[in-house]
Amino acid sequence: MKQSNPDPYTDLAYSIHAVGARATPARMRALAALRHAAQPLSHADIEAELSAERMPLIDRVTLYRVLDWLTEVGLAHKVVDFHGVFRFSANTPDAKHTQHAHFRCTDCGRVTCLDEPVPALPHLPRGFRLARVELDIQGECADCVASH
Amino acid sequence: MKQSNPDPYTDLAYSIHAVGARATPARMRALAALRHAAQPLSHADIEAELSAERMPLIDRVTLYRVLDWLTEVGLAHKVVDFHGVFRFSANTPDAKHTQHAHFRCTDCGRVTCLDEPVPALPHLPRGFRLARVELDIQGECADCVASH
DNA sequence: CACTAAACGCAACTTGGTTGCATTTGATAT
DNA sequence: ATATCAAATGCAACCAAGTTGCGTTTAGTG
């Protein structure tokens, strides 16, 4: 095994070896794409990004498998967007009970990412363990309220 | 126009005429299915249900169009489930700021519907108008926490 | 450097959803 | 009752996202 920079987050090979798996180009490049992304990326987004790098192309099936694998081992997180498409984001090391709120305008369809955390949570049935919270608020955005 | 039972919710034709549209069999049967359902139904669910009724079959494209139309005029509500599939539910007349919380187990995948409302909301940017809130909590359910 | 389980690449397939267009029909006006 | 016509339907073809099976390649180890 090649010696890796031991920074637990920056080094791609390190992160992958850390879960006891083979550090292949497809995994490293996909993970790199996710880590540099500002928002969750779809399979299509990542495919476009990877094929822009002038390197061997990665098969779409491989990419599907890599993304699901990254999710499985906890290096990535998978969500469904409002169009029903899966989107992936890198799990940062400090991502504990990540709370996230989105506002979607039912009129223009735009999605706004609210920065404020969810102020309170309903309490879960006994024995349940919480990991992540996603709050989706729907309504009309300021622009649409004004213009309609 | 045939005289309709004026109960604003029970009568299918009435509800549809109320939005100024033609009360066709496809629309009435789809709306009926949604109103009798306990949970949001997918296109496939509804198609199965309608073809079980011994009546003329409704084309799948028509059903897609009817469901989107019901959503458009406010008689139904459209959400994306965790598999990325659209699901529809009837809008009850008293459905104002419907709040709903789901718990999804990241291990077994089961979705539990939490009855408690969301206790508090982040406040929206100025001018935004809230209509509906959906809270998705992820983690491990009691069974999986115990058995693992 | 040889070995092998793990990962990859390709082709074919499935599912959910959409588009275009000719035909039918619900509600209205006669 | 019946003619009318925009609105809605049915059909066929299409598209995008995701999956499966299988033979080939390769990362990491002994």
Side-chain angles (χ1 to χ4, degrees):
Chain A
M1 189 204 304
K2 185 173 56 157
Q3 177 61 13
S4 301
N5 165 1
D7 174 339
Y9 187 67
T10 320
D11 191 301
L12 300 165
Y14 182 92
S15 303
I16 292 169
H17 288 149
V19 298
R22 284 164 54 176
T24 65
R27 287 176 175 174
M28 298 209 286
R29 290 169 63 194
L31 183 55
L34 293 182
R35 288 191 172 166
H36 296 144
Q39 313 119 21
L41 302 179
S42 68
H43 175 277
D45 292 338
I46 300 171
E47 207 180 15
E49 204 163 304
L50 293 190
S51 59
E53 304 170 0
R54 232 186 279 84
M55 295 197 193
L57 291 179
I58 286 172
D59 186 76
R60 31 177 248 108
V61 176
T62 299
L63 184 54
Y64 275 117
R65 291 199 269 234
V66 163
L67 291 171
D68 281 335
W69 178 83
L70 287 171
T71 304
E72 215 177 281
V73 299
L75 288 170
H77 183 240
K78 184 180 187 174
V79 291
V80 180
D81 73 13
F82 287 109
H83 301 301
V85 175
F86 294 125
R87 294 188 168 271
F88 299 83
S89 53
N91 261 344
T92 50
D94 58 332
K96 1 174 197 210
H97 295 184
T98 308
Q99 295 191 5
H100 217 73
H102 293 112
F103 183 94
R104 174 158 130 273
C105 179
T106 48
D107 200 6
C108 67
R110 252 185 29 208
V111 174
T112 312
C113 201
L114 306 177
D115 298 320
E116 298 185 53
V118 182
L121 293 177
H123 71 261
L124 302 177
R126 182 173 306 283
F128 280 46
R129 185 178 297 156
L130 180 139
R132 185 183 273 262
V133 172
E134 209 123 339
L135 181 65
D136 293 312
I137 303 176
Q138 289 169 57
E140 286 175 280
C141 71
D143 291 354
C144 289
V145 168
S147 76
H148 124 265
Chain B
M1 185 205 299
K2 184 172 60 154
Q3 178 61 14
S4 300
N5 165 3
D7 173 339
Y9 187 66
T10 319
D11 192 302
L12 300 166
Y14 182 91
S15 302
I16 292 169
H17 289 148
V19 298
R22 285 165 51 175
T24 66
R27 287 175 175 176
M28 299 209 284
R29 291 170 62 195
L31 183 55
L34 293 181
R35 288 190 172 168
H36 296 143
Q39 313 119 23
L41 302 179
S42 67
H43 175 277
D45 292 338
I46 300 171
E47 206 180 16
E49 204 164 303
L50 294 190
S51 59
E53 304 170 0
R54 232 187 277 82
M55 294 197 192
L57 291 179
I58 286 172
D59 187 76
R60 35 178 244 109
V61 175
T62 300
L63 185 53
Y64 274 117
R65 292 198 269 233
V66 163
L67 291 171
D68 281 335
W69 177 83
L70 287 171
T71 304
E72 214 177 282
V73 299
L75 288 170
H77 183 240
K78 185 179 188 176
V79 291
V80 179
D81 73 12
F82 288 110
H83 301 300
V85 175
F86 294 124
R87 293 187 168 270
F88 300 83
S89 53
N91 261 344
T92 50
D94 57 332
K96 355 168 203 214
H97 295 183
T98 308
Q99 296 191 5
H100 217 74
H102 292 112
F103 183 92
R104 174 158 130 274
C105 178
T106 48
D107 200 7
C108 68
R110 252 182 32 207
V111 174
T112 312
C113 200
L114 306 177
D115 298 320
E116 297 183 53
V118 183
L121 294 177
H123 71 261
L124 302 177
R126 183 173 305 282
F128 280 45
R129 183 178 298 156
L130 181 139
R132 185 183 272 263
V133 173
E134 211 123 338
L135 181 66
D136 294 312
I137 303 175
Q138 289 170 57
E140 286 175 279
C141 72
D143 291 355
C144 290
V145 168
S147 76
H148 123 265

